[in-house]
Amino acid sequence: MSGPAAGTAAAATTTDVVCLGESMVTFLPSQPGRLADVPSFGRGIGGAESNVACALAAAGHRAAWVGRVGADGFGDHLVETIASYGVDTSAVRRDPARPTGVYFRTATDRGTDTHEVAYYRAGSAASAMSPENVPYEALFAGRVLHLSGITAALSPDCLALLRELTAPRPGRPLVSFDVNHRPHLWRGCAEDVSVLLELARRADLVFVGEDEAEEAWGIVGAEAIRAALPEPSVLVVKRGSAGATVFASELRPGPRGAEAAAGTAAPGTSTDTVSAATPATSADTATPADTVTPVPALRVDVVAAVGAGDAFAAGFLSATLRGLPVRDRARHGHLMAAAVLTVPGDLTDPPSRDRADRLVALDEAAWGRLRLAPGWTAADRAPEEVRTP
């Protein structure tokens, strides 16, 4: 079974979130310094979408990762490692003609001038993903389909695939899209980065940083970003150390994806849909009225600022699947990000659900006093939790 139409007739939903994208083997430095000076590297894995899948699985959700890797040892390592987190990798395809991508990076923050990344992903197996060779039945089998702008930059075929997956059609799950603007990937591309705006406007839930919106589109400020992206039911504007601002409309996803707009489910699909926002109380033709929720970030003793955005998305999606209020969704995102910020790599065990829920329930003053340091996810209780209602 192949093609978008076939995907709408998938079996009843058994997966919470399906994530599609490239994952690579990453080599982490044994010490700080320039790549030229680092004597050795440790092997790990990295990939925005697989990071989200691993974090969701570690948090107790049914997550799947769909990608394409080489028929090589690095591909074996990727699939085995991602599966070890409890992620379903059964729909991953192996490419006998193209290699698995790898990259090396320094230990410094990605946002600094001293940060270096050396990618070896040109012509990778993942860059060959296209509308003709992905398993639509697996991609449309979840309650949520999570995508990112990184995939759009890998090749014209990958961009065509994202356009297919975000196209309006009955049976489409809720589409989550992380803009994930990576300037180096767009150098020499035939398409302009404005295509990321096009894709974001077709999604139901969008994550974008204030800094990347300014860099990619020249749009400054959360309100201006919302004005440029009025279509998504939920828009999460990440503001670095200032936290996040969530714009949520009163309308659930409409004709672009969920069958709720038509009142019927596609043949063979589950009616167990997940809404990005509050269910509609008026006709779908009404103008959405946003609720705007600013949610302060936590104070964190940062070890490495890599993978935090993916972790935030996973925390937000986890709370969305649980039907929690918008503020709590963003707080769960901040907690997941804090877990990753306090370790050297892209992935770590999140706090237990009970622990995270207790922290999310803190009042505003206690939340503002909270400071998280390496090892905090294993601690039994924070002093601020005595103020939990």
Side-chain angles (χ1 to χ4, degrees):
M1 186 183 296
S2 64
T8 63
T13 301
T14 58
T15 303
D16 291 323
V17 181
V18 178
C19 303
L20 169 110
E22 179 174 34
S23 192
M24 296 180 290
V25 172
T26 177
F27 290 92
L28 307 174
S30 58
Q31 65 185 45
R34 302 182 309 152
L35 287 178
D37 300 328
V38 174
S40 60
F41 296 81
R43 186 180 63 175
I45 65 169
E49 302 85 1
S50 61
N51 286 349
V52 171
C54 290
L56 283 167
H61 296 284
R62 298 164 300 179
W65 173 63
V66 177
R68 193 174 182 88
V69 300
D72 49 35
F74 285 150
D76 293 341
H77 175 67
L78 271 177
V79 174
E80 291 167 6
T81 303
I82 293 169
S84 73
Y85 282 84
V87 175
D88 180 357
T89 59
S90 60
V92 175
R93 298 293 188 257
R94 307 302 290 260
D95 190 323
R98 298 175 180 85
T100 303
V102 301
Y103 73 97
F104 297 75
R105 68 171 174 85
T106 55
T108 50
D109 186 343
R110 180 183 281 141
T112 67
D113 292 337
T114 58
H115 185 68
E116 294 177 73
V117 183
Y119 288 102
Y120 299 92
R121 72 196 309 176
S124 69
S127 70
M129 289 188 295
S130 76
E132 286 71 43
N133 64 17
V134 296
Y136 285 93
E137 67 278 9
L139 289 171
F140 286 2
R143 298 167 65 194
V144 177
L145 173 62
H146 180 72
L147 309 168
S148 110
I150 294 173
T151 305
L154 296 180
S155 69
D157 280 344
C158 284
L159 174 56
L161 173 61
L162 285 203
R163 283 180 164 141
E164 286 281 2
L165 295 176
T166 58
R169 66 169 53 88
R172 193 187 85 172
L174 184 146
V175 172
S176 166
F177 183 73
D178 192 335
V179 171
N180 255 329
H181 177 230
R182 297 288 185 267
H184 65 275
L185 288 178
W186 291 95
R187 296 186 191 116
C189 287
E191 291 278 355
D192 184 82
V193 292
S194 61
V195 74
L196 295 176
L197 191 62
E198 169 202 330
L199 295 170
R201 294 183 67 175
R202 294 157 66 139
D204 302 302
L205 165 60
V206 172
F207 301 94
V208 63
E210 271 191 326
D211 55 346
E212 60 186 347
E214 181 175 3
E215 185 174 21
W217 308 322
I219 301 172
V220 180
E223 294 286 348
I225 295 170
R226 182 50 161 172
L229 287 168
E231 295 87 355
S233 296
V234 174
L235 170 66
V236 183
V237 180
K238 298 177 290 183
R239 305 176 59 222
S241 60
T245 299
V246 184
F247 297 84
S249 72
E250 291 180 356
L251 304 184
R252 73 165 60 234
R256 292 176 301 161
E259 290 76 32
T264 59
T269 61
S270 170
T271 57
D272 182 19
T273 59
V274 57
S275 173
T278 305
T281 56
S282 57
D284 283 337
T285 56
T287 300
D290 272 342
T291 57
V292 183
T293 308
V295 184
L298 294 161
R299 293 180 296 164
V300 180
D301 295 336
V302 176
V303 172
V306 178
D310 305 329
F312 180 94
F316 194 97
L317 285 169
S318 172
T320 298
L321 288 162
R322 296 170 61 198
L324 299 185
V326 167
R327 186 209 68 168
D328 293 0
R329 299 180 196 187
R331 282 191 171 189
H332 274 284
H334 286 318
L335 287 169
M336 281 272 211
V340 169
L341 286 169
T342 49
V343 298
D346 290 20
L347 294 168
T348 189
D349 290 331
S352 69
R353 181 171 291 184
D354 287 345
R355 174 80 188 287
D357 284 343
R358 291 201 310 266
L359 291 174
V360 164
L362 292 172
D363 61 32
E364 295 296 328
W367 178 264
R369 292 194 302 269
L370 197 59
R371 187 183 189 102
L372 301 176
W376 73 270
T377 57
D380 179 57
R381 200 169 182 86
E384 291 82 359
E385 291 182 65
V386 300
R387 298 289 299 278
T388 303

